[in-house]
Amino acid sequence: MKTNIIKPISDSFNYLYKELPNGLKALIISDPAADKSAASLSVNVGSLVDPKEYQGLAHFCEHMLFMGTEKYPDENEYNQFLTENGGESNANTSDDITSYYFEVSNEAFDKALDKFAQFFVKPLFKIDAVQRELKAVDSEHKKNLLNDEWRFYQLTLSEAKSDSVFNSFSTGNVETLDKTGVRDALLQLYNKYYSSEIMTLCILSNESIEKLDGLVSDLFAGVPKRENFVHPKYDQVPAYDSSNLKMFYKIFPIKDTDELRFVWYLKSESPYYKEIPLSFLTYLFGHEGPNTLTSSLIKDDLISTLTTSKETCANAFSFFTIEIILTKKGLKEYKTVIYRVMKYIQMIQEQKLNERFSKELIEIKQIAFDYRSKKAPYEYVEELSKSMQRYPPEDILRGSNVIIKYDPVILKEYFDALKLENLNVYFLSKSLEKDCTIKEKWFGTLYTKQPLLEIINENEIKTHQCSHPLDYP
């Protein structure tokens, strides 16, 4: 299938995009200078398809696929082969995508890819491997217990609406998985959702496009396409709405940190991948130049750093985050920080969009794309197999890295959505231990919550005074 894949100016690779008869989509990359070969396959399902009675089942399935196949039944053969040939492998399960990937020496790539393909053709899900992998999943969970980012993520899941699919325990442990019937549930999940039509494969090697094309067709044509497959929907019940927004959380963290996180839960950015409006927000509110929010807060010794981020969850909703590390003064005067953030946002919302600033970001992102650094094969194929799930073939490489279309109407809509009604504020500090009387079920995180307007006053936002000028950078 010929597709005009849009490449960076500096990209010398050869690309071929094709779709196999079973619906599996493949991106084949030839780099004659590659020192190693790599492959990644992404399946467009993840933890959101977990049955309520088997939380973490999709993650457990990810583990079990490594435990032998009909063609290669020895469960250690795949990893041992990679190790012997200078390679490695990994996998990860997100809310709606599960990815498997490996790299290996160029000489061993054909055989490694054959072993890899069998995960999706005929895995065994050995009965005698179930208990071992359950312990591995549980061990992974126990390691995450001391990670504040995992704890925060799980808290946001546990606080999602109870009838939303996002109210879940995504990784699982022995409590949720070590039950009678777990292997049958595992087989049911695999046979229902691991369908070729929602799989995307990316491979990179030093061989010619023609040879790699033949290899993909031979090895992945046997991946089954499930009859009457219906992709699950995740947006039927919102994760966050008026019942659990406009809240203020106090959280007792593991590490010694004092921080505020402002998280706005917004409509999905996915339909606007060409405009990527949230990129403008991350760039504007994360800017450190004169007259910016960051410079103002630092001048008053209220914060040490301010960072911004965005993410889209299973095409159901997106969120925009401002994360602030407080100084000792900022810890005492955290309400001033909240008022300053909200005042700056209101000020920006009341102004006309700064077209010069927007065009600057467009140019910066285009230059960064055109002259990006070469990534390791291992990282590159994983990134692209996921990108293939989100973008049409011609935009797989640039994805959300380039602003293809500037649309001030859409941009203004997202700017205006940064209001209290869509916001939760999270205050993390060890000084809050006595206030935190609720324990999150899966990670044991101590926290408490109350309506945001019990902490701040909307009139105070309007009247908040700052001794420094605030404006677009």
Side-chain angles (χ1 to χ4, degrees):
M1 176 179 179
K2 289 188 176 181
T3 302
N4 294 321
I5 295 174
I6 298 168
K7 305 196 305 181
I9 291 172
S10 59
D11 192 337
S12 61
F13 296 171
N14 293 316
Y15 294 88
L16 173 67
Y17 176 88
K18 68 179 297 180
E19 185 172 327
L20 301 186
N22 60 3
L24 186 146
K25 300 166 184 67
L27 180 64
I28 299 162
I29 309 172
S30 174
D31 172 19
D35 56 354
K36 283 191 176 182
S37 298
S40 176
L41 188 144
S42 293
V43 189
N44 195 198
V45 288
S47 61
L48 292 180
V49 300
D50 287 345
K52 281 291 184 184
E53 63 272 27
Y54 294 106
Q55 293 287 284
L57 190 65
H59 179 216
F60 183 45
C61 180
E62 169 215 306
H63 276 249
M64 287 294 293
L65 278 192
F66 288 84
M67 298 294 103
T69 63
E70 189 174 274
K71 186 174 182 180
Y72 300 103
D74 184 348
E75 62 192 58
N76 296 314
E77 184 168 346
Y78 171 70
N79 285 326
Q80 184 176 341
F81 182 81
L82 293 179
T83 300
E84 291 172 351
N85 289 279
E88 59 180 312
S89 72
N90 211 334
N92 57 67
T93 303
S94 69
D95 49 17
D96 70 331
I97 295 178
T98 307
S99 296
Y100 304 81
Y101 43 101
F102 75 89
E103 72 174 10
V104 74
S105 67
N106 291 329
E107 297 75 21
F109 183 56
D110 292 21
K111 186 171 284 189
L113 192 64
D114 183 19
K115 296 178 187 295
F116 179 72
Q118 294 306 307
F119 291 178
F120 315 100
V121 176
K122 197 69 175 178
L124 292 178
F125 296 113
K126 293 181 179 179
I127 295 174
D128 59 356
V130 168
Q131 284 301 316
R132 284 199 306 278
E133 287 310 302
L134 282 174
K135 290 178 181 177
V137 168
D138 193 61
S139 176
E140 194 174 321
H141 169 64
K142 287 177 179 174
K143 179 190 68 176
N144 294 337
L145 287 174
L146 299 178
N147 184 303
D148 277 319
E149 291 311 309
W150 269 108
R151 293 166 73 86
F152 182 78
Y153 172 64
Q154 182 56 53
L155 178 61
T156 64
L157 295 182
S158 295
E159 285 292 304
K161 291 184 65 177
S162 60
D163 52 348
S164 163
V165 293
F166 290 92
N167 186 284
S168 63
F169 174 32
S170 62
T171 54
N173 63 4
V174 290
E175 182 181 343
T176 62
L177 294 169
D178 193 4
K179 301 176 180 179
T180 302
V182 67
R183 184 174 179 273
D184 290 338
L186 182 66
L187 291 169
Q188 185 175 355
L189 182 144
Y190 181 84
N191 291 327
K192 181 177 182 180
Y193 292 116
Y194 272 59
S195 181
S196 56
E197 65 195 282
I198 60 165
M199 294 182 181
T200 49
L201 170 72
C202 180
I203 70 167
L204 185 154
S205 186
N206 65 338
E207 295 287 357
S208 69
I209 283 285
E210 291 74 21
K211 179 176 178 181
L212 296 174
D213 182 12
L215 198 59
V216 166
S217 295
D218 290 344
L219 297 180
F220 291 88
V223 177
K225 182 177 182 179
R226 309 301 178 187
E227 291 186 12
N228 304 315
F229 178 81
V230 177
H231 200 279
K233 294 182 179 180
Y234 308 121
D235 58 356
Q236 293 174 313
V237 177
Y240 285 87
D241 62 14
S242 59
S243 66
N244 56 356
L245 286 172
K246 215 172 180 179
M247 299 295 292
F248 182 78
Y249 287 80
K250 291 181 179 179
I251 302 171
F252 180 65
I254 295 292
K255 65 181 181 181
D256 191 6
T257 185
D258 302 308
E259 60 183 280
L260 283 170
R261 295 187 187 185
F262 300 76
V263 183
W264 285 268
Y265 296 85
L266 310 168
K267 75 175 186 177
S268 174
E269 189 187 34
S270 296
Y272 309 115
Y273 88 89
K274 291 185 177 181
E275 297 86 358
I276 45 175
L278 290 179
S279 288
F280 290 94
L281 272 62
T282 57
Y283 186 54
L284 172 60
F285 294 110
H287 206 288
E288 298 181 1
N291 305 334
T292 60
L293 175 63
T294 302
S295 66
S296 167
L297 290 165
I298 289 177
K299 282 178 183 177
D300 287 338
D301 190 31
L302 293 168
I303 74 167
S304 58
T305 61
L306 183 153
T307 56
T308 57
S309 61
K310 60 155 187 157
E311 188 170 337
T312 296
C313 300
N315 297 333
F317 67 95
S318 296
F319 58 83
F320 170 66
T321 301
I322 297 178
E323 184 175 343
I324 291 173
I325 304 298
L326 301 167
T327 60
K328 289 183 179 180
K329 180 183 177 185
L331 177 61
K332 293 178 182 178
E333 302 178 23
Y334 72 91
K335 289 186 182 181
T336 300
V337 177
I338 296 175
Y339 286 129
R340 185 75 53 83
V341 170
M342 300 309 299
K343 177 75 172 182
Y344 186 75
I345 288 172
Q346 283 193 359
M347 184 204 70
I348 293 295
Q349 289 171 335
E350 291 169 359
Q351 295 186 34
K352 185 179 178 181
L353 286 175
N354 188 324
E355 193 169 336
R356 173 200 58 80
F357 183 84
S358 300
K359 288 183 176 179
E360 178 183 292
L361 175 60
I362 292 170
E363 291 174 4
I364 288 172
K365 291 182 77 68
Q366 184 66 53
I367 292 170
F369 174 70
D370 279 334
Y371 300 99
R372 66 186 181 184
S373 300
K374 187 176 180 179
K375 293 186 176 182
Y378 191 54
E379 298 174 2
Y380 195 44
V381 294
E382 188 215 355
E383 174 190 310
L384 292 182
S385 72
K386 291 178 177 178
S387 183
M388 292 169 71
Q389 295 284 356
R390 301 184 176 102
Y391 310 113
E394 65 271 16
D395 290 327
I396 289 170
L397 301 189
R398 57 182 183 172
S400 63
N401 296 308
V402 173
I403 298 170
I404 302 168
K405 179 183 176 185
Y406 173 64
D407 190 322
V409 174
I410 294 172
L411 183 55
K412 186 69 165 65
E413 183 181 349
Y414 275 86
F415 266 95
D416 290 345
L418 300 184
K419 52 189 178 182
L420 293 176
E421 286 72 20
N422 296 324
L423 172 67
N424 280 338
V425 178
Y426 303 87
F427 185 16
L428 295 82
S429 175
K430 280 196 172 292
S431 67
L432 303 173
E433 183 175 11
K434 291 182 179 179
D435 297 335
C436 298
T437 56
I438 307 172
K439 180 181 284 189
E440 192 279 322
K441 180 177 181 179
W442 301 112
F443 279 71
T445 305
L446 294 175
Y447 71 103
T448 191
K449 60 182 177 178
Q450 63 191 110
L452 182 56
L453 292 183
E454 290 182 4
I455 299 295
I456 62 170
N457 184 294
E458 288 190 79
N459 289 328
E460 292 274 354
I461 297 172
K462 296 176 182 178
T463 59
H464 175 74
Q465 296 294 316
C466 175
S467 60
H468 317 293
L470 290 171
D471 205 344
Y472 272 100

